[in-house]
Amino acid sequence: MKSLTMAAGGALLPNESVAQTEKQPTAKNPAVIPIRGLLRKDGKLVQPIQISIEKPDDAVMAVTKLDGTEIDRRNVPAGEGSFEIYVKPVTSNQRSTIIVDLGGKEVREEIELKPVRQMQIYVLPHSHHDLGYTDLQADVEAKQIRNITRGIELARKTKDYPEGARFVWNLEVLWGADLYMKRGSEGDRRELIDAVQKGWIGINGSYANELTGLCRPEELLQLFHYSGQLGKTCGVKVDSAMMSDVPGFSWGTVTAMSQAGIRYFSAAPNYFDRIGTFMVSWQDKPFWWVSPSGKEKILFWVPWTGYALSHVMKLGSELVAKYQDRMDEIQYPYDVSYIRWSGHGDNAEPDSELSDWIRDWNQKYEWPRFSIATTSTAFSAFEKRYGYQLPQYRGDLTPYWEDGAGSSALETRMSRNAADRINQAEALRAVTNKADYEVAEYAEAWRDVLLYSEHTWGAWNSVSDSENPFVKKQWDVKRAFAVDAERLSQKLIEKSVGLTSETSRGGQVEIFNSSSWVRSEVVYVPQQLSQAGDYVSGHDGKPLPSQRLASGELAVLVSQMSAFSASRYSFSKQAAHHPSKPASFKNNVLDNGIVHAKIDPATGDITELRLPSVAHNLVKTDGPYRANQLLFLAGQDVDQVQSSGAAKITIEENGPLVVSVLVESSAPTCKSVSRRIRLVAGADYLELANTVDKLSAALNPHPGSGGPGDEFAQRGSKESIQFAYPLAVSDGKMRVDIALGNMQPEIDQLPGSCKNWLPVGRWVDVSNDEVGVTWVTQDAPLIEVGEISATMLGSQRNPNVWRKSIEPTQTFFSWVMNNHWGTNYRAYQEGPVTFRYALRPHSRYDAAAATRLAIGLSEPLKVRAVSPSAKPIDSFLSIEPSDVLALTFKPSEDRSAWIVRLFGASGERRTAQLKWLRSGEAKFWQSNLAEEKLEPIGSEFEIAGWDLLTIRIEELHSR
């Protein structure tokens, strides 16, 4: 539990009503307790009341009266301190007086009898997987591996218990099981497989408790990929997922789960800290969560207190009573429910007392009934009873904890780019040679990306005692996921197309298009590959515009590159060919005849952005901010926001193909800030690269004292940096790209969503019916909409302090750095980090065009040296229309086919067509994350807006 009440590895309970109940002192020997259960006596259901007395030295006659009427008379033996009486079950709350006469001494108690719910309560045992936080990651891994063994032992021990009391262990997430299968012996692996097949172990489909708002599209799919592999190994279908602690989930999670065959989602957030109104909105309110396309849905269900019930309550009749009180409070309308039981703390071992308690309860009481179960069993039973009557909701459950990724902006950038690089490497491998597809290496790279986006960032004392070796060791491991993902992704790119640092032989290079659409853009050819000269010609002998840059690279404008193909280009010593419409920089204006952008010479901010066909400026200039303006905020008082200092502007490249301007300035808490602005001839967008060289925030002057709840951890040295983008698009609607979907702030946000900040996938667009601007972000995953609203410092337990709504606006901020948490995330960061953006003014809104631009920037055309005698690579697959995009193109894991994931990127229904361009024939199959052949599909088919369709392509006759 990422709680600011964690101290020295132990949990202090939050100031919540359920926790307060457990912590308040109670009478040493309460006299009368109504038991909120029904049992059967003489064939009739009765409701027990437990009477506790001081143990008599001698036998005594006890006469009990309820509201003046005698209901029980018995002889209490010497030394016996309690007994039960039974009353007719009540149908409404009833206050009564109990009088017990003990040999002439009366005990009088006022009690309240409450109706007993005749309900089935499923109990889902699991361990919350924190990869770190309370322990070093290696110790946590060992714990979770042991927990699987212990879960199997308990299931074996209780296999002959009555049904419902037999122990079942839920694998909350699967990184622990993955390690178990990799590190264990063959006997260990066989034992897990047998346990799954016997129903002792339940597989849940998510690899980690993920910050889904950080995920790239394929990364979000990979989150559920391993479940199919493990399920296949164990001979079971995995149709459920658990995630714990994290409040909120990106809308595309529904699509990704559906691709994995997951139908049930047990979401169990942290129940009190930095969760906004999420639990208020969704706790104990199951519903069908519908995907962005409207074609898929999953059963989404948050249990009482999330995953923490066993942290704050003990097994016993008091738990039974309080659970029913909760159901009464919310007027829970169903007679099937479930709770999570995660042991005593995070990464806890299975609770060995659970089966015995449920056996004993169920043997005595008929209602409520408890049953230990897998997620799938519980949700399936509920669906059979009530699935048809549940509400359906379509929208984003905008998550909250992604803000912590801004505490390590460099590593977040590395992981984000690595995900794109892995995706591109798979496409290049599919184009070059699928037989050499390195399945294990790609799986390792994706695992590193996933575990960087996993919710545990560091130690419980990461802010209060940041230099402690325990803290630093945990951060080293966390950081390594990003570093290794970057290293592996670069290696995979190099291997996929044979990239080398050699000088081009014969003055030729090959340029690869790994995308599913025709691309025309500038390629930056390394100096060692372009030494033959600055004049560039294509295979048809026609010249291409080029320009030698100060870096030594040769910028080359290539046109009409076919999808999934490679083209050859030659270099010679002639003068470079110039574009017909050059790019220029004059009077602080960048212009290429398509885009016009003006820089304020005093600040370096962008004050104008125009299209030739549109008269007005698309940058808002009548407010406090300008486009691409750096803002620094210390603490949370937005009236004290600061900006960068005076600008020094240097022309780095002055056309005719590429214009690049460097803006340098000072800024608070930074060594320096530089903003590079680039415009290319023929391009309809402006490129921005903002480098923040950050100085460290001040550290705790009293490290190790006070813990995460201390004033320093909560409020000390808090700071943030953002870049402003105020746009002037009259009545413009704002749309935000998210993984496997698209959403409008406020309009597409379900209740409980975070509105102080929003994760963004690749772009934000602000448009009306005639004109708009697309903003692309490559490295920074968070925005604030309309105002600087990311001001929630430290622990935030009050739902009412969070932003309630987002009014229509055309202004947003890229929130790039912060240290706002008091635990888990980093206390400071230092050194240079570059945040790359693009601004594209356009006419009518075109979501697919925005996605093509953004992917093109993240997955650029690739260049390699090539021998003139090498066989050219032609396109062998085309996809139409151009707004149906292949988000993924890869070899199948069995290396016998290709996998393509098509996305309805326009948001509108389309008739799509796949064309096989190689000689021979190909068979198309509708597929899934397991890459199975589900059913044949023709070359022409319908695809809905925001729909994701996975297709397996098998070549029948190779040429």
Side-chain angles (χ1 to χ4, degrees), residues 180-220:
Y180 183 98
M181 295 295 282
K182 288 175 178 175
R183 296 178 182 176
S185 66
E186 179 58 32
D188 294 333
R189 291 191 288 272
R190 187 69 251 172
E191 187 171 51
L192 176 59
I193 293 168
D194 289 345
V196 172
Q197 293 175 344
K198 291 174 180 176
W200 294 357
I201 296 283
I203 301 175
N204 290 285
S206 181
Y207 194 80
N209 290 305
E210 200 81 348
L211 301 178
T212 55
L214 299 182
C215 292
R216 299 310 235 177
E218 184 64 24
E219 179 185 356
L220 191 56

Side-chain angles (χ1 to χ4, degrees), residues 114 140 143 181 253 304 323 360 379 402 419 475 477 517 556 577 641 655 676 688 692 712 726 864 876 921 931 942:
K114 299 178 181 180
V140 170
K143 282 185 178 182
M181 295 295 282
T253 303
W304 187 39
Y323 187 74
D360 295 345
F379 278 54
E402 277 72 353
W475 170 241
V477 173
W517 57 92
V556 181
H577 180 68
V641 69
R676 181 169 281 107
L688 313 173
V692 176
F712 177 85
R864 74 172 180 183
F876 57 89
E921 298 178 2
E931 301 181 358
E942 296 292 309

Side-chain angles (χ1 to χ4, degrees), residues 663-852:
V663 178
E664 298 173 287
S665 57
S666 62
T669 74
C670 297
K671 288 183 180 179
S672 64
V673 171
S674 65
R675 289 169 285 172
R676 181 169 281 107
I677 305 170
R678 185 164 67 185
L679 183 63
V680 171
D684 62 356
Y685 57 92
L686 188 71
E687 295 178 78
L688 313 173
N690 301 340
T691 300
V692 176
D693 194 349
K694 185 73 177 64
L695 294 170
S696 172
L699 306 185
N700 189 354
H702 306 290
S705 63
D710 187 65
E711 178 62 23
F712 177 85
Q714 291 290 296
R715 299 288 183 270
S717 294
K718 301 304 185 190
E719 59 184 25
S720 66
I721 291 177
Q722 41 268 108
F723 291 97
Y725 295 95
L727 302 178
V729 181
S730 179
D731 297 322
K733 292 181 180 178
M734 184 178 295
R735 299 170 176 92
V736 178
D737 174 66
I738 55 177
L740 305 178
N742 183 282
M743 57 91 78
Q744 295 183 66
E746 187 65 30
I747 294 172
D748 290 323
Q749 291 183 279
L750 293 180
S753 290
C754 183
K755 297 178 181 180
N756 291 71
W757 52 84
L758 283 70
V760 56
R762 300 187 187 276
W763 52 265
V764 174
D765 187 272
V766 178
S767 302
N768 57 32
D769 292 338
E770 297 176 351
V771 69
V773 178
T774 296
W775 170 85
V776 175
T777 176
Q778 293 179 247
D779 309 298
L782 297 166
I783 60 170
E784 301 158 285
V785 178
E787 61 189 53
I788 297 176
S789 53
T791 56
M792 309 299 283
L793 308 183
S795 182
Q796 297 289 341
R797 305 177 186 181
N798 182 359
N800 297 321
V801 302
W802 292 80
R803 187 175 180 180
K804 300 297 187 298
S805 63
I806 297 175
E807 300 301 318
T809 181
Q810 291 81 46
T811 295
F812 60 93
F813 304 83
S814 179
W815 188 31
V816 298
M817 288 182 171
N818 78 84
N819 63 347
H820 284 179
W821 277 61
T823 186
N824 187 39
Y825 294 105
R826 301 207 70 205
Y828 64 91
Q829 53 193 311
E830 56 187 337
V833 187
T834 298
F835 305 98
R836 294 165 298 164
Y837 308 104
L839 286 170
R840 176 180 172 263
H842 57 78
S843 53
R844 294 179 65 87
Y845 169 65
D846 186 336
T851 300
R852 288 194 297 268

Side-chain angles (χ1 to χ4, degrees), residues 32 85 100 132 142 229 277 288 301 531 538 546 558 584 601 615 683 724 747 877:
V32 181
I85 61 173
V100 181
Q229 294 180 324
T277 59
W288 289 110
W301 195 356
Q531 291 180 0
S546 61
V558 300
S584 65
I747 294 172
L877 181 68

